[in-house]
Amino acid sequence: MGTVARRDTDDALTPQQESGFVRAMLAHQVGIDPDRVGPVLDLAAVGVVNNAWRNSPVEDWHAGDGPLSDGDMLRINSHTCWRVRQIIRRWRREVGLAADADIGRLDGVGVDDWDWLAVRIWRWLVNPQRLLPGGSRLVEIAGNDLADYSDHVADVLGEWAAAAEEQGGRHAAWRTAAHGGLACRHWWGTPTWPSLVDHFVTALDEPSHPDWDPDGQRRRQLRPEPAQVADRGALRKTLLREPWALQPAAAQWVVAAGIGYLRPGIPPLPTSADINTSTSRVS
């Protein structure tokens, strides 16, 4: 599910080498403990949302004259990540895994359990009556595209469940988490989001900050700040905890100010020694 950057190599990686490579990416590039179930599955929720929700017919609902604005997408994407993470956490507890359990235990989770997780996420994502931040129902936004969207979500989640069956739950979770951590570094729910929020809120009060044009013109051209933005403490807290709670005007202002363009750089790829070490830990 999703794509994960791979080394330039003349030789195809064995499944064990690929797992070791993805494990090293999570540790060295994404910045989570790849050997604990909780952090991996939490980040996998972001990867699921990016593939199943964001990279879907939703793009047409957002583009051009579509009904979803940039501010809407900030709120809906973050809320969807939070909700899918809650579904996955509940499933994790039901299959008897603590957050600090060794990641290898995901390989012992049965196929039926992975299928059930996929079905539960699918049901929530495609529910026509799903209430989006802002008050609209999914069916009101999707219109005639609802069936195509539902099929897309089913395909993505079906592939994830199939990967867990064919390659093991650990590998499937690692790959989806790596996709979320690398492709969505500017999203709520990733390890980089808190520092991005601090950076953004700090820059708002520094007209000469490098994020603005050299003379601060772009900062001055922004519309007057909504109340939720003017209260910097409240803004920071909301962005960190629940961006979906932003009012529409505040969410649109935050996006216009460029929070979506603050994408932290990705650390260098793991060294061969790091990858070999990771591979040796994949049993």
Side-chain angles (χ1 to χ4, degrees):
M1 174 179 167
T3 58
V4 175
R6 298 179 63 171
R7 297 174 298 169
D8 291 330
T9 177
D10 294 331
D11 301 316
L13 296 175
T14 66
Q16 187 177 24
Q17 288 172 328
E18 183 179 1
S19 286
F21 181 56
V22 176
R23 178 187 178 278
M25 291 172 67
L26 288 169
H28 295 274
Q29 292 190 298
V30 176
I32 66 168
D33 184 349
D35 296 321
R36 302 275 75 84
V37 167
V40 172
L41 287 181
D42 278 354
L43 191 53
V46 178
V48 167
V49 171
N50 185 249
N51 277 314
W53 163 259
R54 185 65 181 85
N55 296 333
S56 76
V58 170
E59 179 59 31
D60 293 332
W61 311 343
H62 173 228
D65 297 328
L68 297 179
S69 68
D70 290 338
D72 291 331
M73 294 305 294
L74 169 64
R75 296 192 298 161
I76 296 172
N77 289 349
S78 59
H79 180 263
T80 305
C81 286
W82 172 79
R83 189 66 180 85
V84 170
R85 187 175 69 178
Q86 296 305 308
I87 293 172
I88 294 176
R89 283 182 174 183
R90 185 162 56 249
W91 171 86
R92 170 178 59 74
R93 292 190 294 269
E94 289 172 358
V95 297
L97 294 178
D100 63 351
D102 184 270
I103 194 70
R105 292 188 59 187
L106 284 178
D107 287 339
V109 176
V111 173
D112 289 345
D113 288 318
W114 281 105
D115 288 343
W116 179 225
L117 173 61
V119 169
R120 288 162 73 168
I121 297 173
W122 175 81
R123 283 179 176 172
W124 185 80
L125 285 175
V126 307
N127 180 0
Q129 298 306 313
R130 173 183 158 200
L131 188 63
L132 305 176
S136 297
R137 303 282 178 180
L138 176 62
V139 67
E140 298 169 350
I141 299 296
N144 294 331
D145 291 336
L146 185 60
D148 288 342
Y149 163 70
S150 179
D151 289 344
H152 170 85
V153 176
D155 288 344
V156 169
L157 292 170
E159 289 175 4
W160 194 35
E165 177 181 2
E166 296 166 6
Q167 298 176 283
R170 168 173 48 181
H171 181 79
W174 270 346
R175 281 190 61 88
T176 305
H179 174 72
L182 294 175
C184 308
R185 293 173 66 79
H186 57 301
W187 280 33
W188 179 91
T190 62
T192 47
W193 178 251
S195 60
L196 183 152
V197 168
D198 286 340
H199 180 115
F200 175 75
V201 173
T202 297
L204 291 181
D205 292 321
E206 297 182 8
S208 61
H209 195 282
D211 285 350
W212 311 116
D213 294 334
D215 61 358
Q217 180 179 359
R218 190 167 70 85
R219 177 68 178 87
R220 293 193 301 272
Q221 288 178 338
L222 291 170
R223 292 185 176 184
E225 298 176 1
Q228 275 189 309
V229 174
D231 185 339
R232 299 287 192 256
L235 174 64
R236 181 181 182 279
K237 184 180 296 185
T238 301
L239 286 173
L240 288 175
R241 296 181 179 179
E242 47 180 7
W244 52 92
L246 290 170
Q247 294 297 319
Q252 190 64 28
W253 195 97
V254 165
V255 174
I259 195 170
Y261 296 99
L262 297 179
R263 306 190 181 198
I266 299 175
L269 285 169
T271 65
S272 296
D274 294 327
I275 294 171
N276 290 336
T277 298
S278 287
T279 300
S280 69
R281 298 188 64 172
V282 180
S283 58

